[in-house]
Amino acid sequence: VQLLCTFYRVFPMNAPVVPPEVAAAALNPSQTIGQIAVEVPGATAVFRRLNLDFCCGGHLSLSSAVAGKGLDLDAVMAELSQLHRTDTAPEASDPVALIDHILSRYHEVHRAQLPELIRMAHRVESVHRANPDVPAGLGELLEFMQADLVSHMQKEEGILFPMLKAGGNPFVTQPINVMRAEHVSHNNVIAKLNALTNNATPPVGACNTWRALYTGIGQLIDDLMNHIHLENNVLFPYYEAKVRQNAGGCGGSGGCQCS
């Protein structure tokens, strides 16, 4: 397998990587499946489920590969096109819609991203272990990231977000502070990912799986940073301001009659 990968990697996998939103919008059945795997994060999971070999068979066009498996080309194209996701978020003035956006755009996507990235990372580490550029320990780091992130999202989904959707309360800043602290931990993992993968830049001659892995890691990092930004700088301040505003009308010098 390693010999075949070495043979084929001189073909589609040396094409420049384009932004995933552009690649998804410009899908063409004449593109090679190796090129699509590299350019569209998430495509590898689709190809693997459909038993389409995007690594050693990556030189085949999508239409040829699909025809060879007796699959419906339109259905496969439609599934690949759905991998394009919008980053347009609701305004802070509609916090419930913003929370729903975070859940669907980031929580669900992280859960889908990480298992495939972990699988590819272990594959690359195993097949290319003799390569000095191999990201040794990447699979283990992604597994740690998955466990840490899933635990974090469960806290938000089970405790914080229901509290926020109910309008918040004077104690909501406590779980918010916990989430902010955990976001710092996530940023530290992002720094490790960048260091281990040369900022998600594959080495010259990397095979399709390696390049697709780094494309997916690049998207994961961008998604997680946007996810943290929306919470830290948009959602959380909205409720923190409400707490301060409510506190300002009670216990101050204005002759409060609450007691």
Side-chain angles (χ1 to χ4, degrees):
V1 172
Q2 186 171 4
L3 179 61
L4 287 173
C5 286
T6 302
F7 175 79
Y8 282 122
R9 68 188 178 196
V10 299
F11 294 100
M13 47 294 271
N14 284 330
V17 176
V18 299
E21 64 272 14
V22 175
L27 278 174
N28 189 302
S30 65
Q31 287 179 282
T32 66
I33 60 173
Q35 183 180 11
I36 295 171
V38 167
E39 293 178 352
V40 182
T44 58
V46 175
F47 290 155
R48 188 164 56 85
R49 181 176 55 78
L50 297 176
N51 198 27
L52 295 171
D53 181 5
F54 61 87
C55 190
C56 295
H59 60 293
L60 295 175
S61 69
L62 178 64
S63 57
S64 297
V66 166
K69 294 292 183 180
L71 301 171
D72 185 297
L73 178 60
D74 289 338
V76 175
M77 289 281 289
E79 186 170 357
L80 291 171
S81 295
Q82 289 173 2
L83 294 173
H84 170 56
R85 304 179 178 100
T86 179
D87 290 325
T88 303
E91 299 292 332
S93 57
D94 190 355
V96 172
L98 180 56
I99 290 170
D100 288 339
H101 171 76
I102 290 171
L103 289 171
S104 62
R105 174 60 184 85
Y106 298 107
H107 284 214
E108 291 179 13
V109 171
H110 294 330
R111 286 188 170 101
Q113 288 169 319
L114 280 158
E116 179 67 6
L117 293 177
I118 290 168
R119 185 196 68 81
M120 287 195 290
H122 284 306
R123 178 66 175 168
V124 167
E125 289 182 71
S126 174
V127 172
H128 301 287
R129 56 186 174 274
N131 189 318
D133 293 316
V134 72
L138 179 58
E140 185 177 357
L141 179 60
L142 288 170
E143 287 174 347
F144 169 81
M145 186 179 194
Q146 180 183 44
D148 193 40
L149 195 53
V150 166
S151 173
H152 175 84
M153 293 189 297
Q154 286 174 340
K155 293 173 191 173
E156 290 185 335
E157 293 162 3
I159 300 172
L160 179 58
F161 286 175
M163 190 184 298
L164 298 182
K165 283 189 170 185
N169 60 54
F171 307 103
V172 77
T173 55
Q174 296 176 13
I176 284 177
N177 288 339
V178 172
M179 295 300 99
R180 284 187 183 276
E182 292 188 1
H183 287 167
V184 173
S185 175
H186 300 330
N187 274 324
N188 291 337
V189 176
I190 288 175
K192 292 178 181 179
L193 275 178
N194 278 323
L196 196 55
T197 64
N198 189 27
N199 295 312
T201 304
V204 174
C207 72
N208 277 345
T209 300
W210 198 336
R211 287 170 58 81
L213 167 64
Y214 279 18
T215 297
I217 285 175
Q219 186 198 44
L220 172 66
I221 291 172
D222 287 347
D223 283 353
L224 187 52
M225 291 181 69
N226 287 335
H227 178 183
I228 292 171
H229 157 69
L230 279 180
E231 292 183 357
N232 277 4
N233 302 325
V234 183
L235 180 65
F236 294 167
Y238 175 85
Y239 287 95
E240 289 165 334
K242 286 183 64 176
V243 170
R244 288 194 300 271
Q245 183 179 14
N246 292 337
C250 186
S253 60
C256 176
Q257 303 297 316
C258 293
S259 56

